[in-house]
Amino acid sequence: MDYQQILQDKVAICLTLQGAKETFPFDKKIHALKLGGKIFALIHLYHGDLYVSLKCQPERIDRLREEYSNIKPGYHLNKQHWITLVINEHYDVEPETEIALIQNSYQLIFQKLSKKVQNTVRFSAND
């Protein structure tokens, strides 16, 4: 598997969301996707696997982890509010589910933004 290409594909999916920005606040290897200055996705390579960490509703996390072996507690994040998709040769999460989880994480962050920032996101084009 070409994990570098998969990483770029995941970042590209995130950047299709209105107002999403790619930043590197930790180091140049950890892609932090933000909306209104708040992170909704962290994407990086770690020990040969690709990690995609996303915000999630606490009540959904256990069910997702039971259904998919590649969905783990948020890596170095609050395990009550974050999940990590571990992409490797045994990856079992369907593309549609993965995209839905990315969009869900984005929506959770969007809902927490002030109305002013939400309106700025709604009426601005991605740079």
Side-chain angles (χ1 to χ4, degrees):
M1 293 179 92
D2 183 353
Y3 290 112
Q4 195 60 44
Q5 183 60 53
I6 296 169
L7 182 150
Q8 292 305 319
D9 293 345
K10 304 308 176 204
V11 169
I13 290 168
C14 291
L15 291 175
T16 65
L17 301 170
Q18 187 72 27
K21 306 279 186 238
E22 181 180 22
T23 66
F24 297 89
F26 308 109
D27 66 33
K28 291 293 179 194
K29 294 180 181 179
I30 300 174
H31 303 253
L33 287 299
K34 292 184 175 184
L35 176 65
K38 300 194 179 291
I39 295 172
F40 70 91
L42 289 168
I43 305 172
H44 68 284
L45 292 167
Y46 183 71
H47 289 254
D49 294 332
L50 180 64
Y51 282 45
V52 178
S53 296
L54 303 165
K55 198 152 177 80
C56 189
Q57 295 90 338
E59 62 273 11
R60 294 183 64 198
I61 290 175
D62 287 339
R63 184 177 48 81
L64 286 166
R65 289 184 52 215
E66 288 171 8
E67 189 171 344
Y68 300 101
S69 64
N70 289 87
I71 295 181
K72 308 291 183 189
Y75 179 73
H76 285 295
L77 297 161
N78 182 330
K79 315 259 186 274
Q80 187 177 2
H81 296 280
W82 288 83
I83 56 173
T84 297
L85 286 63
V86 180
I87 300 172
N88 56 31
E89 63 274 358
H90 306 292
Y91 193 58
D92 63 349
V93 181
E94 302 88 5
E96 302 81 25
T97 300
E98 184 179 284
I99 291 170
L101 290 169
I102 291 169
Q103 291 171 335
N104 180 66
S105 182
Y106 171 92
Q107 273 306 124
L108 288 172
I109 295 302
F110 182 82
Q111 292 167 357
K112 295 288 185 182
L113 298 174
S114 70
K115 294 296 180 197
K116 181 179 178 181
V117 175
Q118 285 181 3
N119 286 333
T120 301
V121 169
R122 282 188 186 111
F123 299 113
S124 68
N126 279 345
D127 296 332

